[in-house]
Amino acid sequence: MSKAGIVNVRMVITEEKILSNIDKVNKLINPNNKKQLVELGDDSYFKDLIESIKTYLIEYPKKKNFPISVYKAAYGLVEYATNQFEENTKKIEELIRQREKNIGLASDLKDILNSAIEKDKDWKNNVKNASVSFQEDIIEALGIIGRSKNDTNENYQNALKLVNARINNLESNLHIEIDMERIEDRSKALSYIGIEVADALKVIPAPAEDIKNVVQESVNEVGVQQATNTYMEETRVEVKPSLWSRIKNSKFVRTIKCLMKVKIRLDVPVLPEGKGE
């Protein structure tokens, strides 16, 4: 076998290996994957996969003959990661809104509870109106507190514990904090793909078939002169609307700043909800 033949065989194997690595990354970041990504800094396997893809893109000797299959797979990976990143941003914003709503509900519930404890003239109406925002167990507990003439009896104390536990849980937003941290960890991994792989793709010319399509579409729409200009502008990744720029220009950074601004940490431990002791 000739030396050139050996090189070609090795390149085929390398191409297959990189395609396999890209597929592994796709599976890792799939939101339906039961195995969640751990914090990026501790996930050496994930980083090694990305590094292998990046190295292949940068060190491939003849960029004009770069394998179309790898180019498309790598570009598809960045696009897939970017779309997920944007979805994560939306989820973070939704969680922030939910947390702010919960904090407001906690404040309202405190006022209603005080009204029931003090037996204000409007406490019954306050409790009745609260049924729109709170579950039946809380409404019943507030009713017990408001009607009770003895704040030392067991029913009163159990009702008070239940309402206070709900207030603390609404203020702490523990489940929301956990969801936010999980989404932030995934977003770090997704943005890592955007940085490493998208930047490496910039040195690879667009596949010939893509160039042909761009030129043909441009000829049909705007004529030969503009088509030539379009060809020069769109045959490399770095002058296309960058997928990574979508990540950088997304509201994720502003969202995280907002998240940190309104984050509330309570020193009081969350009380278990229940009517028992």
Side-chain angles (χ1 to χ4, degrees), residues 137 192 236:
D137 60 339
Y192 185 73
R236 290 183 181 275

Side-chain angles (χ1 to χ4, degrees), residues 44-262:
S44 58
Y45 173 69
F46 172 78
K47 295 182 72 173
D48 287 345
L49 287 174
I50 299 301
E51 185 63 27
S52 71
I53 298 168
K54 174 185 174 183
T55 301
Y56 185 90
L57 293 171
I58 293 175
E59 296 185 359
Y60 194 88
K62 296 182 179 180
K63 299 295 191 292
K64 291 183 179 180
N65 298 326
F66 191 85
I68 294 177
S69 60
V70 176
Y71 178 93
K72 289 187 173 182
Y75 195 92
L77 173 62
V78 175
E79 186 171 33
Y80 182 49
T82 303
N83 289 338
Q84 285 198 51
F85 187 98
E86 292 172 344
E87 287 301 314
N88 281 0
T89 302
K90 295 176 183 177
K91 290 177 182 177
I92 286 286
E93 291 173 339
E94 290 173 2
L95 289 172
I96 289 175
R97 286 193 292 270
Q98 183 60 53
R99 184 173 62 182
E100 292 174 342
K101 179 181 178 181
N102 287 352
I103 293 172
L105 286 172
S107 177
D108 292 342
L109 188 52
K110 280 182 180 179
D111 292 340
I112 298 169
L113 174 60
N114 289 333
S115 175
I117 291 174
E118 298 297 329
K119 309 296 189 293
D120 292 345
K121 63 178 181 178
D122 292 330
W123 79 264
K124 290 183 179 179
N125 286 332
N126 293 337
V127 171
K128 181 179 179 181
N129 294 335
S131 62
V132 177
S133 303
F134 300 100
Q135 296 176 345
E136 185 177 351
D137 60 339
I138 294 298
I139 302 303
E140 290 180 357
L142 290 169
I144 291 172
I145 293 169
R147 291 189 298 270
S148 178
K149 297 180 180 180
N150 182 1
D151 60 7
T152 61
N153 69 61
E154 184 176 358
N155 288 339
Y156 181 97
Q157 290 299 319
N158 287 339
L160 188 61
K161 287 180 182 179
L162 178 65
V163 176
N164 280 326
R166 188 65 52 85
I167 291 171
N168 285 332
N169 286 337
L170 286 169
E171 287 179 331
S172 67
N173 288 289
L174 182 60
H175 67 288
I176 292 181
E177 297 289 346
I178 293 173
D179 286 345
M180 280 185 172
E181 290 179 5
R182 177 179 56 80
I183 294 173
E184 287 174 31
D185 286 343
R186 287 189 59 81
S187 291
K188 290 176 185 177
L190 295 170
S191 64
Y192 185 73
I193 294 173
I195 294 171
E196 299 297 322
V197 180
D199 282 354
L201 271 171
K202 291 180 180 179
V203 302
I204 309 297
E209 61 185 62
D210 288 352
I211 295 173
K212 182 179 178 181
N213 292 335
V214 169
V215 174
Q216 186 59 50
E217 291 173 3
S218 299
V219 168
N220 293 338
E221 294 177 5
V222 295
V224 176
Q225 182 59 46
Q226 290 185 2
T228 302
N229 294 337
T230 303
Y231 167 83
M232 297 301 293
E233 293 174 357
E234 297 193 8
T235 54
R236 290 183 181 275
V237 173
E238 65 263 35
V239 292
K240 285 185 178 182
S242 171
L243 287 171
W244 175 231
S245 70
R246 285 166 55 194
I247 295 179
K248 292 191 292 184
N249 294 331
S250 74
K251 293 185 286 186
F252 179 73
V253 174
R254 296 195 299 275
T255 301
I256 294 301
K257 288 181 179 179
C258 179
L259 183 157
M260 297 305 294
K261 184 183 297 184
V262 301

